[in-house]
Structures are given as C-alpha cells and as structure tokens.
Amino acid sequence: MFDYDFMRAAFMASGIVAVLAGLVGFFLVLRGQTFAGHALSHVGFTGATGAVLFGLPPLAGLVGFTVIAGLAMGALGERLSQRDVAIGMMLSLALGLGLLFLHFYTSYAAQAAALLFGNVLGVDDEALAALAILAALSLAALGFIARPLIFASLQPELAEARGVDLRLVSTVFLMIVAIAVSECAQIVGVLLVFTLMVGPAAAALAFTRRLHAAIALAALLALAEAWGGLTLAYYSDWPTSFWITALSGLVYFASLVSARRSA
Amino acid sequence: MSALRFDQVAIKLGGRTILSAADFAVEDGEFVGVLGANGAGKTTLMRASLGLVPLAAGAIAVLGAPATRGHARVGYMPQNRGPIAGLRLTGYDMVASGVKGAHWGLPRLDAAERREIDWALDMVDARKIAGRSLNEISGGERQRLLLSQALIGRPKLLLLDEPLISLDPAHQKNVVDTVKRLSEELKIAVLFSAHEINPLLSAIDRVLYLGAGKAVLGAVDEVIAGPTLSRLYGAEIEVLRVGGRIFVMSGDVEMERDSHRHEHGDAHGHDHQDHAHADESRA
Ligand SMILES: Nc1ncnc2c1ncn2[C@@H]1O[C@H](COP(=O)(O)OP(=O)(O)OP(=O)(O)O)[C@@H](O)[C@H]1O
Ligand SMILES: [Mg+2]
C-alpha cells in the first residue's frame, strides 16, 4: 500500500496528528477538560465553513477560529462551576454561526462531510507540510509549559501559591488544544476528534499508574490506532475514520477491563 | 525575625471587610492553631500570607521579607484538595509534580530531587502509600501525601488549611502528632487551621482566633475564654473546661465542633466541606 503517494501522505499525516492528539489529549483528560476539547472541535467546524465561504483553505479557518476560542475559554478563567456553561454557550453560538455559513454556501455537501468525518486520503503535500509545522510548534509549546501544567492540573491551589500563573498556563494549553483539535479534524473529522484525543489518553491512564508512562502510552496508542485504522481501511475499503474509532473504542474498553483486574 | 508578621493588616473581599487591623507575629518554630467559625477568614489569612490576596491596608512579612507568591520556604496545604481523589496516578507522581513545579520546561527529576521527594515522603511515613494510586487510598492517606508535598523545598513556615477535615479522632491525633514532630524536628513554624480546639490542645504553643474581622493571637487559656470569644463571635460566649477538654458554648449551642467526624467517620475521606457547621448563622 505504500506504493501510492496518497497512502504515504496519509500515513505521515495521521502519524503526526496522532502523536500530537495523544499527547495533548492526555492533559485534556488529566484536567477533566474533555468537554472543552469537544466544544473546540465544533467551533472548528464553523471556522472551516467560514473559511471556505470566503475562499480560504479550511485548515486556516479551523486553526484561526479554534485558537481564538481557546483563548477566550482560557480568559474565562478556572472556575469549574461556570466552565461547562460558558463553554456550552460558546459551542452553540459557534454552531449557529456555522449553520449560517452553510446557509449562504449550500453547494458543498461533500466538503462538509469531509469536515465532519475527516478525509485523510485527501491530504496533499501542502496540507502535510502545514500539519507538520503546526504540530511541531504545538509540541514545543506543550513541552515548554509541561511542568507547570502538570502541577496546576494536579494541585491548582498549591501551584498558584508556588508561583504558577494558572490563567496563563490554562490559556496557552487551550490554544495548544485548539491546534491539536484542528489537526485531528483533518484526519477523523470534527465529530470524531474524541477518538484520537480522549480515547488513547483515557486508556493509557487505565493501563498504567505512572505519569510519564501514561503520557508516552497515550501517544503510542493514538499512533497505533491511526495507522491501524488506515491499514484496515486500505484492505477493507471501509472508511478510515470508522476503523480508527473502532480501534480506539476497543482499546479503551480493553483498558477498563485491565484496570479492573489490576485494582 | 518572626516566621509570620501581620502589621495592621486589613483585607476586603467583594466589598466586605474580612479582616481589619490584624496585628500579630508568629515566632520561628512556633505551632499555632488557627480557629474561627466558617467564613471567619482562616483560608483568606493563609492565602494572604502566600501573597495571593491583595491587602486593603498594612503589610505581611514572611520570614522577614514581604509576602509574595512563590516563596521558596513556605509550605502550603490548601483546604481545597483539588481533583486528585479521582485520579488513577501514583501518589509519588503527585508529590513529584510539586518539585520545581513553577518552572517552565519538561518535568525531569535529577537524583537530588528524587532524594528530596523520598525524604519528604519519609518525614510523614508515606513511602508505601506513594506507590499506590490516588483513587485507591483513603482520605487520611491522601492527606499525608499532601503534607509531604508541602515539605518539598524544606519550608520554615507551614500553612496547613484544615488538615483534620473528614478524619476520625484517631487519625486526627495522628496528623496533629506528625505535624508537631515535623515542627520540632525541622524547626518549622506552623499555622494549623481547625474547627475545634480539642484535637490541637496537646500540640499547639498558641492559638490565633478569628472572628468579627478581628484576629487575636495568644495562649490558649487567654484566648479561649469568655470575654475574648464573646468579642470575636459578637455574642455571649461561655467556655467550659471538662476533663481537659474545652467546650465553647453560646447559650446551649456548641460553637466549635467537628461535625464531619460525627456524621461520616472516614469511610473514604471525601472532603465534606460544605456540610460545615450550623454555628455559622449564629456566629
Ligand atoms: N473571592 C472572594 N470574594 C468575596 N468574598 C470572599 C472570597 N473568598 C472568600 N470570601 C469571603 O471571605 C470570608 C472568609 O472566607 P474564608 O474562606 O477565609 O473563611 P474560613 O475561615 O476559611 O472558612 P471555612 O471554615 O468555611 O473554611 C467568607 O465570608 C467568604 O464568603
Ligand atoms: Mg477555610
């Protein structure tokens, strides 16, 4: 299957995205912010439809919109109680706007489907380069904030007392999430970003109790699921996104069984 | 040099005065119990000492320097224990996250830092517990890990916000004795907030009592006495001493009482902070 250019590009793109999604997703799960990730992906849908409407590449709209939304969520602050409501409001506002964009630009059902469910086989060289650069930047940023991010995720009040700027760390993190979500949307679509961001991370936390091992495992599982999904799609001719979600679900439920055994 | 000095401090939050003209000094190595009804300002006082709450007036000095965020020699155990109770990660990794936790970059530990973590765990006898995951240990065991995390950086001042919450009497005694030993062995000044004076009686040097926006620091017998407490509670208070225990009464209501332990024991040690006390409305 590696004889085809589009397959090689698909493997590279999904590999890059899976590692990023696995790593970023781990912190999303650790911080209990999966709903924020979910909302960002839907905001991304609006961004992408808007970009297409104005003749821009969808990825630009995805990234631009989600990063601004991530910034806004971070600025809203840490208060858990208000967080879900505020995020939910932003989510519906964005989706409403997305609907409006679709209303003005009706002739693009195929592109909408690609946005919703991903189109990894359609990744060209230009898109691949963009994915790689964005992923490298996000991973560098994630590495830079890793220490305070972990501390603030586990012990927010102590971290604040020790000098961690909670709002700064949380905002930068949500912007990184925004980029990871945008990348994920290219592979599995905005509706299925959970499958690469949350599934592997949650499974990793069930497989091991050690922080560093869990982080590495989350990336590895995401990578295995993405490549496994591509391979299965190649031989079965079923959609890649379906296979990735199936593998992700399988691994997650297996991890629950294993966690119960070892408890 | 005092470990903690409040100099005519006033604190306002949301337009309300929480503390006014607070003036006291906690000396080096001193073990001070911090008491007061719900909402009296115990947490606020500790957060102000950490530089997290702006002052309306006055100044706070910590170990001889103005209070600032991130003071390396101040240990803290927040009342709000964060999300750790639900996490399937080892206690060791939780404690380790506090080592240079405010620095940027990847969380790598060198040998010296690992020795420091082991030392902090040994100080509270939590080496074994640290290998287990946070969602599979009891509330009291998690409390011990948090205490050990507060020791990272070898503090000279330890601010412990309600370490006895949701512990049964035996575990309360265990925590108080451990902190007392740490304070003496390592010469750490300790502020230890609680809702009841009795578990602390054997350990504390002095008591800091908060109420009605005022703070009074003094010997237990001076402060926990009718006239002082009547002033702090703004109500007629009677102090009864029975068999080495102290009961603070307003009419027929006991003002200080640990409701948690009577209601819950320590089944799994969730923090029942919101169950708090019936006395608030009367205080
Ligand atoms: N951010 C805030 N904005 C406005 N008021 C606040 C804020 N934080 C605390 N307060 C108020 O300050 C007062 C003191 O609160 P604090 O948490 O310090 O009390 P406490 O003595 O620790 O109480 P508890 O025993 O319930 O823990 C309370 O009346 C509370 O309502
Ligand atoms: Mg408090």
Side-chain angles (χ1 to χ4, degrees):
Chain A
M1 64 187 158
F2 294 111
D3 294 340
Y4 299 99
D5 271 349
F6 70 91
M7 280 309 281
R8 279 201 300 273
F11 264 86
M12 277 193 279
S14 59
I16 292 167
V17 171
V19 170
L20 177 66
L23 292 174
V24 175
F26 177 84
F27 292 99
L28 209 55
V29 171
L30 185 68
R31 294 169 65 77
Q33 286 187 313
T34 52
F35 183 55
H38 174 81
L40 282 174
S41 71
H42 287 64
V43 169
F45 176 74
T46 300
T49 52
V52 172
L53 186 62
F54 293 107
L56 298 167
L59 184 62
L62 262 167
V63 172
F65 242 64
T66 50
V67 167
I68 291 171
L71 198 69
M73 283 180 193
L76 282 174
E78 289 276 302
R79 294 289 300 267
L80 252 171
S81 52
Q82 299 159 9
R83 212 158 53 179
D84 282 359
V85 175
I87 292 171
M89 284 310 297
M90 249 154 82
L91 169 64
S92 34
L93 206 66
L95 277 181
L97 207 58
L99 180 73
L100 184 72
F101 291 158
L102 275 182
H103 172 76
F104 284 127
Y105 195 79
T106 42
S107 65
Y108 93 154
Q111 233 164 354
L115 272 176
L116 290 176
F117 295 107
N119 183 16
V120 64
L121 301 180
V123 175
D124 57 22
D125 283 351
E126 210 175 307
L128 186 60
L131 289 178
I133 291 169
L134 280 174
L137 288 176
S138 316
L139 286 180
L142 187 63
F144 186 67
I145 64 164
R147 213 191 265 256
L149 180 65
I150 291 169
F151 194 17
S153 305
L154 297 178
Q155 284 288 292
E157 298 204 5
L158 179 60
E160 189 187 21
R162 288 274 168 88
V164 174
D165 185 335
L166 294 183
R167 181 165 295 195
L168 176 70
V169 167
S170 147
T171 305
V172 172
F173 175 64
L174 282 169
M175 288 165 69
I176 295 170
V177 172
I179 293 178
V181 160
S182 305
E183 298 226 331
C184 248
Q186 296 284 298
I187 308 300
V188 288
V190 293
L191 289 183
L192 299 177
V193 295
F194 254 54
T195 206
L196 279 182
M197 293 197 66
V198 176
L205 274 168
F207 277 127
T208 171
R209 296 178 164 88
R210 297 313 305 262
L211 182 69
H212 290 223
I215 294 173
L217 191 57
L220 274 177
L221 287 176
L223 186 65
E225 288 163 13
W227 281 354
L230 261 179
T231 310
L232 288 167
Y234 181 80
Y235 289 110
S236 68
D237 214 23
W238 293 6
T240 313
S241 296
F242 161 74
W243 281 118
I244 296 179
T245 55
L247 288 176
S248 174
L250 200 70
V251 169
Y252 174 68
F253 289 112
S255 78
L256 291 189
V257 174
S258 120
R260 185 142 318 156
R261 285 243 178 91
S262 72
Chain B
M1 187 188 72
S2 308
L4 179 67
R5 174 184 292 280
F6 272 52
D7 185 11
Q8 294 298 326
V9 170
I11 296 174
K12 289 198 175 78
L13 286 176
R16 288 174 50 229
T17 300
I18 312 297
L19 206 61
S20 63
D23 204 84
F24 60 84
V26 175
E27 300 311 325
D28 282 343
E30 204 180 7
F31 191 149
V32 172
V34 181
L35 283 113
N38 285 128
K42 302 180 291 296
T43 299
T44 304
L45 183 139
M46 290 192 183
R47 288 175 53 84
S49 309
L50 291 159
L52 296 172
V53 176
L55 306 185
I60 302 176
V62 172
L63 304 167
T68 50
R69 270 168 43 130
H71 195 301
R73 308 309 293 276
V74 181
Y76 179 41
M77 179 169 162
Q79 179 175 1
N80 183 350
R81 307 281 144 76
I84 57 166
L87 290 178
R88 199 171 176 282
L89 283 177
T90 63
Y92 186 93
D93 286 331
M94 193 271 293
V95 174
S97 74
V99 178
K100 287 207 202 137
H103 291 215
W104 300 111
L106 293 171
R108 256 192 313 243
L109 295 172
D110 60 29
E113 285 159 350
R114 267 195 290 272
R115 272 198 303 278
E116 190 68 11
I117 296 169
D118 288 341
W119 169 82
L121 289 170
D122 283 339
M123 283 319 287
V124 300
D125 194 21
R127 247 317 171 124
K128 279 230 183 68
I129 302 169
R132 297 168 56 198
S133 70
L134 292 165
N135 64 349
E136 286 163 9
I137 58 179
S138 80
E141 289 167 334
R142 271 195 295 274
Q143 232 117 306
R144 254 200 278 170
L145 289 173
L146 291 167
L147 188 56
S148 119
Q149 191 172 36
L151 293 176
I152 298 278
R154 312 245 171 171
K156 282 289 146 201
L157 172 65
L158 208 46
L159 305 173
L160 307 177
D161 204 353
E162 315 237 2
L164 302 184
I165 250 177
S166 79
L167 297 185
D168 61 33
H171 286 89
Q172 290 191 351
K173 180 166 169 14
N174 188 293
V175 169
V176 171
D177 291 348
T178 304
V179 173
K180 178 72 176 166
R181 175 172 54 76
L182 292 174
S183 166
E184 279 170 357
E185 263 177 42
L186 307 171
K187 314 233 171 327
I188 309 177
V190 177
L191 263 68
F192 189 120
S193 77
H195 275 113
E196 202 196 8
I197 184 81
N198 288 309
L200 299 179
L201 276 179
S202 62
I204 55 177
D205 300 313
R206 289 195 291 168
V207 59
L208 177 63
Y209 218 110
L210 304 180
K214 291 185 273 287
V216 178
L217 177 64
V220 174
D221 288 340
E222 271 166 46
V223 176
I224 315 267
T228 312
L229 291 188
S230 298
R231 200 156 56 83
L232 293 177
Y233 278 104
E236 198 58 40
I237 300 285
E238 200 185 348
V239 176
L240 305 175
R241 288 183 159 71
V242 182
R245 291 171 64 82
I246 298 177
F247 298 91
V248 177
M249 309 290 294
S250 170
D252 56 358
V253 178
E254 197 187 337
M255 300 299 277
E256 276 184 3
R257 193 179 25 147
D258 192 349
S259 58
H260 316 293
R261 81 165 191 237
H262 299 301
E263 288 170 15
H264 304 281
D266 183 33
H268 279 286
H270 307 289
D271 296 359
H272 296 289
Q273 289 155 12
D274 40 359
H275 279 263
H277 300 216
D279 12 279
E280 188 178 22
S281 50
R282 307 189 113 247

